[in-house]
Amino acid sequence: MKKQMLIYVGIICVGLTFLAIGSKPVVSQTTTSDDPHYEYMDNETCGSCHEEKLHDYQSSMMGKTPNDKVFQQFYAAVNAKGEADGIGFRAFKPKGESDCASCHTPDVVLDAGHELALEDAIKKGSNGISCDYCHTIKDVKVIYNPKTQRYDTRLWKMVTRARGEVKRGPLKDAKSPFHQTKFSPIHTKSEFCAACHNNQEHLLSLDTYDSWKKAFDKGVVKQTCQQCHMPTGGKDRPIAIGGPVRPGSMIHRHFFHGGHNADMVKKAAVMKAKAFSDEHGLTVHVDVTNSGTGHTFPGAATLRNVIVVIDAMDANGKPLKHIGGKKELLPPLAGIGKSARDFGGDVGAMFARPFATKKGKAPTGGFNADHILFDTRIRPQETAHRVFHFSKPDSGHAVARVRLIYRWAFKPLVDKKGWKMDDIVIADQKLEL
Ligand code: HEC
Ligand code: HEC
Ligand code: HEC
Ligand code: HEC
Ligand code: HEC
């Protein structure tokens, strides 16, 4: 608080100087420049007044990183028990810096101005992606070369900070007893999120911003990232203790829900299934429409996947013979074990973008991938149409059950790692003929 007071006094003095010399009081240096000695405050400090924001943010994946176990274990190439398993970044590059720290611990990477080893970033006391990190960002520049069709996603090239007492956000008239405030247009734009939700490696391994931008420019998507991931609404209330009551329509929840949240995932897509029967057999038609995201479905992280599973049987529950050929079967990435959730080889379809190494190892991360095994993700407002063929039941009617399931990681990887993952069932439809 002492430092705070000093700065307030400093600002008042600068203000008085302006008045004294009769010029317009422009924003003083202290409020706009970046203070390299500034120490980020922790989320709890901000949360002592911004309780709702802290509560929301603590439940998000961004609020957890770099302590998110899945991230750490995929980075360190260890399983849930902490045993080395050769799957992940450190198996590929055992020592030295990497880009992983950039987006997962941006504060200390920007201090360094170059890539760091995650271990070092954590040792340097990174606060992860903190309230104070985001709210002292001054600008984000998206750097894209249309000739090479490549982005430059190095964080220190994209982000300009203004570390200090001024908290930047979407309000034009905010007054806080604890910090200064400044209206910041970049906080209301998708480009703000682009700093980390695009990752140009050999491949564009995260392409959420790119995919959103293409759809937005075409008018297919009308909302920004914030409008879907930081929803407004609820009753009128103050934004902070000591602040005025504001309309709910101005207040942004800090959930950042994504692939780990069932309610969010269920908003993403709708499925329509129909079955027909003729002398050749039973045909099941499935349409999956990406009706609710602003980017591909599933999203960017190369481990995410969506699967359609078809079970067709006769009136007695006896499975109907599948006659549609291999392309109507799910790949091993849908699960290779013996459990009821292992769908590899079953009738269905997968929507995903798994990365693979030269030797065909999949799934892998962007760090050692050299090709994309396939990209069947569904673009915004587009519909994927799939048809499946079965023989007719010997007698009686046929029943087809069609499920649409979302997984935040490929099941064989989840099994090897010993991670906990529930299937999110987006739709489960029964068709009788
Ligand atoms: C350009 C920024 C950026 C870089 C660089 C980056 N990540 Fe990430 N990482 C993200 C974002 C954003 C997500 C969430 C993506 C999504 O859900 O679409 C994520 C998600 C993940 C996840 C999934 C976590 C979960 O719980 O589902 C893992 C694992 C991961 N990253 C590992 C790594 C590793 C290992 C590296 C370095 C080789 C790395 N990341 C480099 C931005 C980055
Ligand atoms: C002592 C209470 C208090 C603390 C602690 C506090 N704030 Fe605030 N903050 C406020 C009040 C009050 C407002 C104004 C609310 C309004 O006008 O509706 C505000 C406004 C803001 C705004 C809006 C700025 C704008 O122009 O859009 C941001 C962003 C913000 N705070 C971030 C933070 C961050 C980050 C921290 C921690 C480093 C923090 N606050 C700590 C009380 C506090
Ligand atoms: C400093 C980098 C950074 C910025 C800026 C950033 N993100 Fe993220 N985001 C991440 C990382 C890293 C993760 C993954 C964390 C993990 O799982 O360990 C993530 C995760 C997410 C997730 C959850 C993904 C999932 O599948 O659960 C959502 C949604 C999200 N971010 C949305 C946004 C939005 C919207 C913005 C802009 C307002 C934004 N992010 C800005 C780095 C960032
Ligand atoms: C990943 C970056 C990010 C993080 C982390 C983050 N915010 Fe925000 N915050 C934003 C953005 C972006 C907006 C503006 C959204 C818009 O206007 O579209 C915002 C808006 C706000 C506002 C203005 C009021 C409102 O509801 O719009 C306050 C206050 C605020 N955040 C406080 C916090 C606090 C406190 C934390 C930590 C608990 C936090 N933020 C964490 C990006 C972030
Ligand atoms: C029209 C609403 C909408 C817009 C706009 C939108 N999203 Fe999403 N997003 C969703 C929904 C719904 C999901 C859940 C489905 C999913 O996880 O694939 C999602 C999922 C995500 C995930 C997790 C994806 C995964 O499967 O790995 C991330 C990260 C994310 N969004 C970031 C962003 C960013 C960054 C932007 C802006 C560039 C953005 N979103 C724009 C609706 C939206």
Side-chain angles (χ1 to χ4, degrees):
M1 283 308 279
K2 244 192 207 149
K3 191 170 159 199
Q4 191 90 23
M5 283 307 294
L6 281 177
I7 286 173
Y8 280 149
V9 172
I11 287 161
I12 291 166
C13 291
V14 175
L16 287 176
T17 315
F18 276 119
L19 286 179
I21 57 172
S23 60
K24 259 193 184 168
V26 287
V27 189
S28 73
Q29 277 300 306
T30 21
T31 63
T32 52
S33 66
D34 183 43
D35 172 6
H37 304 295
Y38 177 78
E39 274 183 34
Y40 286 112
M41 283 186 234
D42 55 32
N43 292 350
E44 284 67 28
T45 306
C46 312
S48 62
C49 294
H50 297 287
E51 287 172 321
E52 180 181 272
K53 301 268 187 282
L54 180 65
H55 189 261
D56 288 354
Y57 193 55
Q58 278 173 335
S59 72
S60 75
M61 296 307 295
M62 267 202 291
K64 292 195 177 88
T65 216
N67 301 313
D68 163 18
K69 291 280 174 283
V70 164
F71 164 63
Q72 289 200 342
Q73 289 159 6
F74 196 64
Y75 174 82
V78 299
N79 63 20
K81 289 189 194 136
E83 302 154 346
D85 63 4
I87 308 168
F89 175 72
R90 277 291 180 230
F92 160 73
K93 190 180 178 205
K95 269 208 186 96
E97 74 293 341
S98 74
D99 72 345
C100 311
S102 299
C103 307
H104 292 264
T105 54
D107 47 356
V108 294
V109 169
L110 285 173
D111 287 350
H114 54 77
E115 287 183 355
L116 291 176
L118 181 68
E119 296 82 346
D120 293 341
I122 291 172
K123 257 189 239 143
K124 283 179 195 289
S126 170
N127 282 341
I129 308 168
S130 66
C131 312
D132 212 8
Y133 170 77
C134 278
H135 286 292
T136 54
I137 295 285
K138 188 177 179 186
D139 199 18
V140 178
K141 225 176 29 228
V142 174
I143 311 166
Y144 179 69
N145 183 339
K147 269 197 205 128
T148 58
Q149 301 197 343
R150 287 175 71 85
Y151 288 89
D152 182 344
T153 57
R154 286 172 295 173
L155 206 60
W156 53 94
K157 298 276 182 197
M158 296 180 76
V159 173
T160 311
R161 293 185 292 176
R163 283 165 293 173
E165 307 302 324
V166 184
K167 305 307 162 214
R168 292 158 184 266
L171 302 173
K172 291 189 168 130
D173 60 348
K175 278 193 191 66
S176 160
F178 185 68
H179 53 73
Q180 300 168 63
T181 58
K182 189 166 170 45
F183 169 61
S184 163
I186 189 72
H187 281 77
T188 66
K189 296 183 181 151
S190 292
E191 283 64 31
F192 180 82
C193 316
C196 308
H197 285 272
N198 244 7
N199 189 15
Q200 185 74 64
E201 297 180 88
H202 168 56
L203 300 162
L204 187 62
S205 58
L206 289 175
D207 63 353
T208 310
Y209 172 77
D210 178 70
S211 140
W212 171 85
K213 174 80 172 131
K214 284 178 179 143
F216 187 80
D217 286 351
K218 276 194 220 146
V220 172
V221 171
K222 301 229 157 41
Q223 293 106 312
T224 59
C225 316
Q226 288 87 334
Q227 282 172 311
C228 293
H229 290 286
M230 307 182 73
T232 54
K235 60 176 198 284
D236 298 351
R237 59 199 188 276
I239 281 171
I241 292 173
V245 171
R246 301 250 186 200
S249 59
M250 277 182 89
I251 306 175
H252 296 89
R253 303 303 301 262
H254 279 47
F255 294 131
F256 301 102
H257 284 155
H260 290 269
N261 183 275
D263 292 336
M264 190 71 183
V265 167
K266 285 177 188 168
K267 285 185 196 151
V270 288
M271 180 185 86
K272 279 198 189 121
K274 280 191 197 122
F276 302 97
S277 162
D278 61 20
E279 69 277 14
H280 304 297
L282 178 79
T283 316
V284 181
H285 290 253
V286 183
D287 281 337
V288 182
T289 304
N290 174 351
S291 54
T293 86
H295 34 73
T296 59
F297 180 64
T302 60
L303 309 176
R304 316 280 194 235
N305 57 112
V306 176
I307 49 191
V308 170
V309 189
I310 321 273
D311 297 295
M313 56 215 119
D314 66 16
N316 300 319
K318 193 176 141 225
L320 298 183
K321 191 168 181 266
H322 176 245
I323 55 173
K326 261 193 164 161
K327 64 177 194 311
E328 294 178 12
L329 301 182
L330 281 159
L333 288 169
I336 46 181
K338 296 236 170 332
S339 92
R341 290 171 59 211
D342 287 309
F343 298 122
D346 292 357
V347 180
M350 176 177 274
F351 306 105
R353 183 179 65 145
F355 280 14
T357 64
K358 268 198 196 81
K359 290 183 184 150
K361 239 198 194 167
T364 186
F367 49 86
N368 66 339
D370 65 359
H371 66 283
I372 297 171
L373 207 57
F374 55 82
D375 186 357
T376 47
R377 296 174 306 166
I378 309 167
R379 310 223 158 247
Q381 302 305 326
E382 287 185 8
T383 299
H385 182 70
R386 297 285 189 280
V387 188
F388 306 92
H389 300 87
F390 298 88
S391 62
K392 267 167 64 121
D394 297 337
S395 65
H397 62 266
V399 184
R401 182 183 182 198
V402 186
R403 281 175 288 174
L404 182 67
I405 295 169
Y406 176 93
R407 290 173 168 174
W408 55 257
F410 293 108
K411 179 139 186 311
L413 177 70
V414 170
D415 290 345
K416 278 190 197 139
K417 286 284 185 191
W419 290 337
K420 279 205 190 80
M421 177 186 73
D422 291 327
D423 288 352
I424 298 174
V425 180
I426 301 172
D428 188 346
Q429 220 175 311
K430 227 178 200 177
L431 308 164
E432 286 190 49
L433 275 185

